Amino acid sequence: MKSLKRVAVFCGSSLGTDEQFTTDAKKLGIEMAKRGIGLVYGGGNKGIMGILAHAVYDNGGEVIGVLPEAMNVPQVTDNSAHTELRIVKDMHERKNTMYSLSDGFIALPGGIGTIEEITEIYTWRQLGYHDKNIALLNSNGFWNSFIAQMDNCVDLGFLSPEARNILKSSNVVDEILDLLAMEPEELP
Ligand code: AMP
């Protein structure tokens, strides 16, 4: 088992329409704080991001928000839920900072920002730039269509079965954190 000091969580800056999304975000935040796993996230106060950051912070956990200069405005930043807020130059520096601070990656339900972030970190894993685990918290089947598309890529010869297996998923918060703590699989 790997020890997880911090995990980056990508998630919606909106709440979504299903209460299960916010329920699971809260559960994840509480469980991270309980296990002593710090949160690295996009630094915003909106939507699922804000719910998650508060759940970790309010339960005594570490929260590091990473925001580009241009987004450091009161409408976005939530100073009540950070142990640390890092202001960086741009989106590229933000991603590098989030990725290097974290021992694993989780995506909760979200929109194109979330999908882009988790897909990029998955791509980097496939290319061998890192060997950190990646998991989708599949609240009420939110990620089913994404998972089906990855299976489609395998079936049609665009993704190796080994790279497909790197991407873990569960709708159970405890299981997600256990999956991230597993020894990473080797890719051929
Ligand atoms: P989306 O899923 O499109 O709502 O985008 C959410 C993801 O993009 C988060 O994981 C953040 O890293 C980033 N992001 C998008 N909007 C914001 C915002 N208002 N504040 C901070 N980060 C944001």
Side-chain angles (χ1 to χ4, degrees), residues 69-89:
E69 273 165 11
M71 288 174 88
N72 187 21
V73 292
Q75 304 92 288
V76 171
T77 319
D78 185 351
N79 288 316
S80 66
H82 295 130
T83 36
E84 188 182 340
L85 182 64
R86 295 202 185 186
I87 306 300
V88 294
K89 200 160 65 67

PDB file of all heavy atoms in Angstrom, residues 69-89:
ATOM      1  N   GLU A  69      -3.622  33.558 -11.255  1.00  0.00           N
ATOM      2  CA  GLU A  69      -3.791  34.984 -10.905  1.00  0.00           C
ATOM      3  C   GLU A  69      -5.146  35.519 -11.353  1.00  0.00           C
ATOM      4  O   GLU A  69      -5.863  36.171 -10.589  1.00  0.00           O
ATOM      5  CB  GLU A  69      -2.722  35.819 -11.623  1.00  0.00           C
ATOM      6  CG  GLU A  69      -1.427  35.942 -10.893  1.00  0.00           C
ATOM      7  CD  GLU A  69      -0.315  36.472 -11.828  1.00  0.00           C
ATOM      8  OE1 GLU A  69      -0.606  36.935 -12.961  1.00  0.00           O
ATOM      9  OE2 GLU A  69       0.828  36.401 -11.392  1.00  0.00           O
ATOM     10  N   ALA A  70      -5.493  35.227 -12.603  1.00  0.00           N
ATOM     11  CA  ALA A  70      -6.691  35.820 -13.200  1.00  0.00           C
ATOM     12  C   ALA A  70      -7.970  35.381 -12.480  1.00  0.00           C
ATOM     13  O   ALA A  70      -9.000  36.053 -12.573  1.00  0.00           O
ATOM     14  CB  ALA A  70      -6.767  35.443 -14.672  1.00  0.00           C
ATOM     15  N   MET A  71      -7.924  34.249 -11.775  1.00  0.00           N
ATOM     16  CA  MET A  71      -9.128  33.762 -11.093  1.00  0.00           C
ATOM     17  C   MET A  71      -9.162  34.150  -9.618  1.00  0.00           C
ATOM     18  O   MET A  71     -10.098  33.802  -8.907  1.00  0.00           O
ATOM     19  CB  MET A  71      -9.217  32.238 -11.219  1.00  0.00           C
ATOM     20  CG  MET A  71      -9.571  31.784 -12.611  1.00  0.00           C
ATOM     21  SD  MET A  71      -9.501  30.001 -12.756  1.00  0.00           S
ATOM     22  CE  MET A  71     -11.129  29.558 -12.263  1.00  0.00           C
ATOM     23  N   ASN A  72      -8.116  34.870  -9.171  1.00  0.00           N
ATOM     24  CA  ASN A  72      -8.060  35.225  -7.759  1.00  0.00           C
ATOM     25  C   ASN A  72      -8.920  36.460  -7.471  1.00  0.00           C
ATOM     26  O   ASN A  72      -8.437  37.532  -7.187  1.00  0.00           O
ATOM     27  CB  ASN A  72      -6.608  35.454  -7.328  1.00  0.00           C
ATOM     28  CG  ASN A  72      -6.493  35.665  -5.830  1.00  0.00           C
ATOM     29  OD1 ASN A  72      -7.392  35.264  -5.077  1.00  0.00           O
ATOM     30  ND2 ASN A  72      -5.408  36.292  -5.401  1.00  0.00           N
ATOM     31  N   VAL A  73     -10.222  36.274  -7.571  1.00  0.00           N
ATOM     32  CA  VAL A  73     -11.183  37.355  -7.307  1.00  0.00           C
ATOM     33  C   VAL A  73     -12.170  36.835  -6.259  1.00  0.00           C
ATOM     34  O   VAL A  73     -12.367  35.632  -6.136  1.00  0.00           O
ATOM     35  CB  VAL A  73     -11.944  37.755  -8.600  1.00  0.00           C
ATOM     36  CG1 VAL A  73     -11.025  38.422  -9.591  1.00  0.00           C
ATOM     37  CG2 VAL A  73     -12.622  36.550  -9.241  1.00  0.00           C
ATOM     38  N   PRO A  74     -12.786  37.737  -5.495  1.00  0.00           N
ATOM     39  CA  PRO A  74     -13.623  37.282  -4.376  1.00  0.00           C
ATOM     40  C   PRO A  74     -14.753  36.339  -4.794  1.00  0.00           C
ATOM     41  O   PRO A  74     -15.148  35.470  -4.030  1.00  0.00           O
ATOM     42  CB  PRO A  74     -14.199  38.583  -3.813  1.00  0.00           C
ATOM     43  CG  PRO A  74     -13.296  39.648  -4.281  1.00  0.00           C
ATOM     44  CD  PRO A  74     -12.668  39.189  -5.559  1.00  0.00           C
ATOM     45  N   GLN A  75     -15.256  36.465  -6.027  1.00  0.00           N
ATOM     46  CA  GLN A  75     -16.356  35.593  -6.448  1.00  0.00           C
ATOM     47  C   GLN A  75     -15.904  34.135  -6.565  1.00  0.00           C
ATOM     48  O   GLN A  75     -16.723  33.232  -6.539  1.00  0.00           O
ATOM     49  CB  GLN A  75     -16.925  36.003  -7.811  1.00  0.00           C
ATOM     50  CG  GLN A  75     -17.406  37.425  -7.907  1.00  0.00           C
ATOM     51  CD  GLN A  75     -16.297  38.338  -8.400  1.00  0.00           C
ATOM     52  OE1 GLN A  75     -15.358  38.620  -7.667  1.00  0.00           O
ATOM     53  NE2 GLN A  75     -16.408  38.817  -9.630  1.00  0.00           N
ATOM     54  N   VAL A  76     -14.600  33.925  -6.759  1.00  0.00           N
ATOM     55  CA  VAL A  76     -14.098  32.560  -6.980  1.00  0.00           C
ATOM     56  C   VAL A  76     -13.451  31.983  -5.731  1.00  0.00           C
ATOM     57  O   VAL A  76     -13.673  30.838  -5.352  1.00  0.00           O
ATOM     58  CB  VAL A  76     -13.058  32.553  -8.149  1.00  0.00           C
ATOM     59  CG1 VAL A  76     -12.368  31.204  -8.255  1.00  0.00           C
ATOM     60  CG2 VAL A  76     -13.735  32.907  -9.464  1.00  0.00           C
ATOM     61  N   THR A  77     -12.621  32.797  -5.062  1.00  0.00           N
ATOM     62  CA  THR A  77     -11.813  32.289  -3.960  1.00  0.00           C
ATOM     63  C   THR A  77     -12.653  32.102  -2.704  1.00  0.00           C
ATOM     64  O   THR A  77     -13.528  32.886  -2.419  1.00  0.00           O
ATOM     65  CB  THR A  77     -10.692  33.307  -3.640  1.00  0.00           C
ATOM     66  OG1 THR A  77     -10.191  33.776  -4.871  1.00  0.00           O
ATOM     67  CG2 THR A  77      -9.590  32.674  -2.848  1.00  0.00           C
ATOM     68  N   ASP A  78     -12.354  31.029  -1.975  1.00  0.00           N
ATOM     69  CA  ASP A  78     -13.040  30.807  -0.709  1.00  0.00           C
ATOM     70  C   ASP A  78     -12.003  30.754   0.408  1.00  0.00           C
ATOM     71  O   ASP A  78     -11.432  29.712   0.675  1.00  0.00           O
ATOM     72  CB  ASP A  78     -13.820  29.493  -0.755  1.00  0.00           C
ATOM     73  CG  ASP A  78     -14.646  29.309   0.504  1.00  0.00           C
ATOM     74  OD1 ASP A  78     -14.473  30.113   1.449  1.00  0.00           O
ATOM     75  OD2 ASP A  78     -15.455  28.379   0.546  1.00  0.00           O
ATOM     76  N   ASN A  79     -11.761  31.915   1.016  1.00  0.00           N
ATOM     77  CA  ASN A  79     -10.715  31.955   2.026  1.00  0.00           C
ATOM     78  C   ASN A  79     -11.121  31.259   3.316  1.00  0.00           C
ATOM     79  O   ASN A  79     -10.305  31.070   4.200  1.00  0.00           O
ATOM     80  CB  ASN A  79     -10.308  33.405   2.303  1.00  0.00           C
ATOM     81  CG  ASN A  79      -9.527  33.963   1.127  1.00  0.00           C
ATOM     82  OD1 ASN A  79      -8.662  33.287   0.587  1.00  0.00           O
ATOM     83  ND2 ASN A  79      -9.859  35.170   0.704  1.00  0.00           N
ATOM     84  N   SER A  80     -12.383  30.852   3.419  1.00  0.00           N
ATOM     85  CA  SER A  80     -12.812  30.201   4.661  1.00  0.00           C
ATOM     86  C   SER A  80     -12.569  28.699   4.633  1.00  0.00           C
ATOM     87  O   SER A  80     -12.884  28.007   5.576  1.00  0.00           O
ATOM     88  CB  SER A  80     -14.295  30.477   4.907  1.00  0.00           C
ATOM     89  OG  SER A  80     -15.061  29.846   3.901  1.00  0.00           O
ATOM     90  N   ALA A  81     -12.030  28.178   3.550  1.00  0.00           N
ATOM     91  CA  ALA A  81     -11.860  26.721   3.477  1.00  0.00           C
ATOM     92  C   ALA A  81     -10.469  26.297   3.016  1.00  0.00           C
ATOM     93  O   ALA A  81     -10.301  25.224   2.467  1.00  0.00           O
ATOM     94  CB  ALA A  81     -12.926  26.124   2.554  1.00  0.00           C
ATOM     95  N   HIS A  82      -9.459  27.170   3.254  1.00  0.00           N
ATOM     96  CA  HIS A  82      -8.101  26.802   2.836  1.00  0.00           C
ATOM     97  C   HIS A  82      -7.153  26.808   4.016  1.00  0.00           C
ATOM     98  O   HIS A  82      -7.196  27.736   4.805  1.00  0.00           O
ATOM     99  CB  HIS A  82      -7.498  27.847   1.874  1.00  0.00           C
ATOM    100  CG  HIS A  82      -8.205  27.954   0.592  1.00  0.00           C
ATOM    101  ND1 HIS A  82      -8.620  29.142   0.074  1.00  0.00           N
ATOM    102  CD2 HIS A  82      -8.566  27.006  -0.279  1.00  0.00           C
ATOM    103  CE1 HIS A  82      -9.220  28.920  -1.079  1.00  0.00           C
ATOM    104  NE2 HIS A  82      -9.207  27.634  -1.303  1.00  0.00           N
ATOM    105  N   THR A  83      -6.259  25.829   4.081  1.00  0.00           N
ATOM    106  CA  THR A  83      -5.103  26.012   4.945  1.00  0.00           C
ATOM    107  C   THR A  83      -4.028  26.766   4.167  1.00  0.00           C
ATOM    108  O   THR A  83      -3.183  27.427   4.750  1.00  0.00           O
ATOM    109  CB  THR A  83      -4.560  24.643   5.439  1.00  0.00           C
ATOM    110  OG1 THR A  83      -4.689  23.684   4.403  1.00  0.00           O
ATOM    111  CG2 THR A  83      -5.344  24.148   6.624  1.00  0.00           C
ATOM    112  N   GLU A  84      -4.078  26.664   2.844  1.00  0.00           N
ATOM    113  CA  GLU A  84      -3.105  27.369   2.005  1.00  0.00           C
ATOM    114  C   GLU A  84      -3.725  27.650   0.641  1.00  0.00           C
ATOM    115  O   GLU A  84      -4.408  26.789   0.083  1.00  0.00           O
ATOM    116  CB  GLU A  84      -1.879  26.448   1.830  1.00  0.00           C
ATOM    117  CG  GLU A  84      -0.715  27.120   1.157  1.00  0.00           C
ATOM    118  CD  GLU A  84       0.472  26.155   0.969  1.00  0.00           C
ATOM    119  OE1 GLU A  84       0.547  25.127   1.661  1.00  0.00           O
ATOM    120  OE2 GLU A  84       1.282  26.456   0.092  1.00  0.00           O
ATOM    121  N   LEU A  85      -3.486  28.863   0.143  1.00  0.00           N
ATOM    122  CA  LEU A  85      -3.942  29.186  -1.211  1.00  0.00           C
ATOM    123  C   LEU A  85      -2.715  29.578  -2.030  1.00  0.00           C
ATOM    124  O   LEU A  85      -2.009  30.513  -1.676  1.00  0.00           O
ATOM    125  CB  LEU A  85      -4.947  30.342  -1.176  1.00  0.00           C
ATOM    126  CG  LEU A  85      -5.520  30.743  -2.535  1.00  0.00           C
ATOM    127  CD1 LEU A  85      -6.336  29.610  -3.161  1.00  0.00           C
ATOM    128  CD2 LEU A  85      -6.410  31.989  -2.395  1.00  0.00           C
ATOM    129  N   ARG A  86      -2.431  28.825  -3.076  1.00  0.00           N
ATOM    130  CA  ARG A  86      -1.286  29.154  -3.924  1.00  0.00           C
ATOM    131  C   ARG A  86      -1.779  29.870  -5.166  1.00  0.00           C
ATOM    132  O   ARG A  86      -2.604  29.332  -5.908  1.00  0.00           O
ATOM    133  CB  ARG A  86      -0.548  27.889  -4.350  1.00  0.00           C
ATOM    134  CG  ARG A  86       0.076  27.190  -3.185  1.00  0.00           C
ATOM    135  CD  ARG A  86       1.199  26.313  -3.650  1.00  0.00           C
ATOM    136  NE  ARG A  86       1.696  25.559  -2.511  1.00  0.00           N
ATOM    137  CZ  ARG A  86       2.743  24.789  -2.534  1.00  0.00           C
ATOM    138  NH1 ARG A  86       3.435  24.642  -3.643  1.00  0.00           N
ATOM    139  NH2 ARG A  86       3.130  24.149  -1.461  1.00  0.00           N
ATOM    140  N   ILE A  87      -1.260  31.074  -5.366  1.00  0.00           N
ATOM    141  CA  ILE A  87      -1.615  31.822  -6.579  1.00  0.00           C
ATOM    142  C   ILE A  87      -0.497  31.599  -7.596  1.00  0.00           C
ATOM    143  O   ILE A  87       0.676  31.860  -7.318  1.00  0.00           O
ATOM    144  CB  ILE A  87      -1.762  33.332  -6.277  1.00  0.00           C
ATOM    145  CG1 ILE A  87      -2.753  33.567  -5.119  1.00  0.00           C
ATOM    146  CG2 ILE A  87      -2.179  34.098  -7.525  1.00  0.00           C
ATOM    147  CD1 ILE A  87      -4.159  33.065  -5.375  1.00  0.00           C
ATOM    148  N   VAL A  88      -0.873  31.107  -8.743  1.00  0.00           N
ATOM    149  CA  VAL A  88       0.126  30.799  -9.771  1.00  0.00           C
ATOM    150  C   VAL A  88      -0.157  31.630 -11.026  1.00  0.00           C
ATOM    151  O   VAL A  88      -1.218  32.250 -11.141  1.00  0.00           O
ATOM    152  CB  VAL A  88       0.112  29.280 -10.102  1.00  0.00           C
ATOM    153  CG1 VAL A  88       0.573  28.465  -8.920  1.00  0.00           C
ATOM    154  CG2 VAL A  88      -1.264  28.840 -10.565  1.00  0.00           C
ATOM    155  N   LYS A  89       0.819  31.616 -11.948  1.00  0.00           N
ATOM    156  CA  LYS A  89       0.738  32.517 -13.097  1.00  0.00           C
ATOM    157  C   LYS A  89      -0.430  32.179 -14.039  1.00  0.00           C
ATOM    158  O   LYS A  89      -1.197  33.030 -14.413  1.00  0.00           O
ATOM    159  CB  LYS A  89       2.070  32.447 -13.859  1.00  0.00           C
ATOM    160  CG  LYS A  89       2.328  33.629 -14.760  1.00  0.00           C
ATOM    161  CD  LYS A  89       3.784  33.790 -15.109  1.00  0.00           C
ATOM    162  CE  LYS A  89       4.381  32.714 -15.914  1.00  0.00           C
ATOM    163  NZ  LYS A  89       4.200  32.283 -17.163  1.00  0.00           N
TER     164      LYS A  89
END
